[in-house]
Amino acid sequence: MSSTPLNRDLFDQVMVPNYAPASNIPVRGEGSRVWDQEGREYIDFAGGIAVTSVGHAHPQMLATLQDQGSKVWHLSNFMTNEPALKLAQQLTDATFAERVFLCSSGAEANEAAFKLARRYAFDKFGPDKHEIIAFHQGFHGRTLFTVNVGGQPKYSDGFGPKIVGITHLPYNDIAALEAAVSDKTCAIVMEPLQGEGGIIAADPAFAQKARELCDKYQALLVIDEVQTGVGRLGSLYAYQQLGITPDIMSSAKGLGNGFPVAAMLTTKAIATHMGVGTHGSTYGGNPLASAIASKVLDLINQPQVLADVNAKFERFKTGLEAINAKYPFMHEVRGRGLLIGAALNEDYLGRAGDFLSAATEVGLMVLVAGPDVVRFAPSLLIPDADIDAGLALFEQAVAKVTQT
Ligand SMILES: *Cc1c(COP(=O)(O)O)cnc(C)c1O
C-alpha cells in the first residue's frame, strides 16, 4: 500500500468521480505561489475558488493554527468557547448582524439561512408563507435545499422530488421581481454578485427593490455572501456597497482561508426563531476553526487592505485590457475587487476551459465561471509584482489559445 504512487491515476481508482481534477498535484504554497510534485511553480490567481483570502502559509495564520492547535481543537456545543465568542463578537461588530450561527461550509450556512427564513415565517404567519424567490444562475451550495434554491437545474435535477415553494426569476429584473413577490413569500435569496453564474453584479436599484418588497410583504432578505464576503469585493461584505441591509447573510469561503468554517448572521429578533434544539452542527463553532476565522478577519478588516483590493482590481483590469488589445479574446472585464471575470468575446464563447488549461500549462492557476468567463479570485494580499507576473503568464496562455 505505502508504495502506491500518489498521482492522478490513483484518483480514478479511489475517489468518487464527481470531480475531474488536473493532472498536476500541488504540494506546497507560499503567499500567491504554489509548487506541484514536480517542483513546477504556479502563480495562484484562483485562490482555491475565492477561499485563500490571505494566501498560503501566512505566518500569522500558522501561528494561530499552532497556538490554538496546541490548546483545544474541539469540544461540542454543550459548551461554548473563547475563540467562537470572539469570532461572533467580531462579526456582529463589523456588520448589520446581532446574532451568529457558526458552521463549516457555505452550503451549511445557506441551509441554516433558508431554514431560519422558513421557520420565522411559519412561526409568525403560518404554513402558507413559505415561498422562496431566488434567481436563475444563482449558486448557493450542493445540499438538496441549496441546489433547489440555486438557479441551475443541472445541479438539482435527478435527485428525486424537488423542494417545493421555490421560484426562480431573472437576476436584475425589477419588473419580474415586483410581479412575483406576494404575501406567500417568506424570503428573497440573492448573491450580491453572482459568482458561479458568471460574475454578474446586482444593480443597486434591483437589490434596493428586493429590500423594499421584503419590507412590504414581511419577507426576509437573505444575502448569500459566501463568495463575495470577507473583503473579496473591496468592502468587508458586498451588501455594504448596495445600499441595503440584509435580514440574514451567509459567509464562508474567504472566512477560513481554506480551513472549513462558515457563518450565518442575522438580527436578534429573527434569531429568536432558531431556539434551543431547532438546528445544529457538530463541528460548527469549534475553537480551532473559530480561532482561524477570527485571525482572517483581523488581517482583512483593515481600511488599507480593503483599499488595496480595489486598487488591485484596476491593475487587473488594465492588464487584461492590454492583453486584449494584442490578442482580442474578451468583450469586457466584469466584477469588483478581487473577484474578476474576463467575459469571452463571440469567437471564444464556450471555451473558458481552454484558457484555464493553457494557463495551467504556463504555470498560472485561474478559474472559470461558466463556459464563457475566465475568473480570477486570488489572495486579497497578492503582491502587485505577482499580479504583473501572473498577467504576463496569462498573456502567453491567451496567445496560445488565440493563435492556434
Ligand atoms: C461556493 C458557494 C457556496 C457553497 O459553499 P460550499 O462551502 O462549497 O458549501 C454557496 N454560495 C455561493 C455564492 C458560493 O459561491
Side-chain angles (χ1 to χ4, degrees), residues 49 104-108 110 139-143 146 191 193 195-196 224-228 250 252-253 262 375:
I49 317 190
S104 314
S105 71
E108 268 184 272
N110 284 329
F139 185 79
H140 303 295
R142 298 295 204 117
T143 64
T146 56
E191 295 162 83
L193 176 152
E196 303 305 307
D224 179 347
E225 294 243 22
V226 169
Q227 187 155 169
T228 52
S250 53
K253 290 199 166 90
R375 174 172 37 159

Side-chain angles (χ1 to χ4, degrees), residues 101-109 252 259-263 281-286 289:
F101 169 77
L102 296 171
C103 49
S104 314
S105 71
E108 268 184 272
F259 200 93
V261 58
S281 160
T282 298
Y283 296 141
N286 86 34

Side-chain angles (χ1 to χ4, degrees), residues 27-28 33 113 116 130 135-136 156 226 251 275 312 323 359 367:
V27 292
R28 189 166 70 83
R33 306 263 170 165
L116 175 57
H130 67 263
F135 300 97
H136 296 313
S156 56
V226 169
S251 182
K312 288 176 199 299
I323 295 170
L367 302 164

Side-chain angles (χ1 to χ4, degrees), residues 43 61 75 190 196 203 228 279 310 322 347 374 376 390:
I43 293 177
M61 296 309 305
L75 296 157
M190 63 186 279
E196 303 305 307
D203 295 334
T228 52
H279 194 60
N310 290 310
D347 293 341
V374 182
F376 308 94

Side-chain angles (χ1 to χ4, degrees), residues 103-187:
C103 49
S104 314
S105 71
E108 268 184 272
N110 284 329
E111 184 83 19
F114 305 160
K115 282 179 71 180
L116 175 57
R118 281 202 165 163
R119 177 59 70 106
Y120 173 86
F122 180 88
D123 287 349
K124 287 190 67 132
F125 307 101
D128 283 348
K129 193 173 178 69
H130 67 263
E131 289 183 1
I132 292 174
I133 290 180
F135 300 97
H136 296 313
Q137 301 307 124
F139 185 79
H140 303 295
R142 298 295 204 117
T143 64
L144 192 59
F145 201 168
T146 56
V147 288
N148 275 264
V149 176
Q152 303 190 51
K154 67 176 179 194
Y155 294 146
S156 56
D157 288 346
F159 294 103
K162 299 214 174 180
I163 293 180
V164 298
I166 301 167
T167 302
H168 295 99
L169 303 176
Y171 194 62
N172 279 333
D173 186 335
I174 289 180
L177 190 58
E178 278 186 309
V181 182
S182 76
D183 285 330
K184 291 187 172 176
T185 307
C186 79

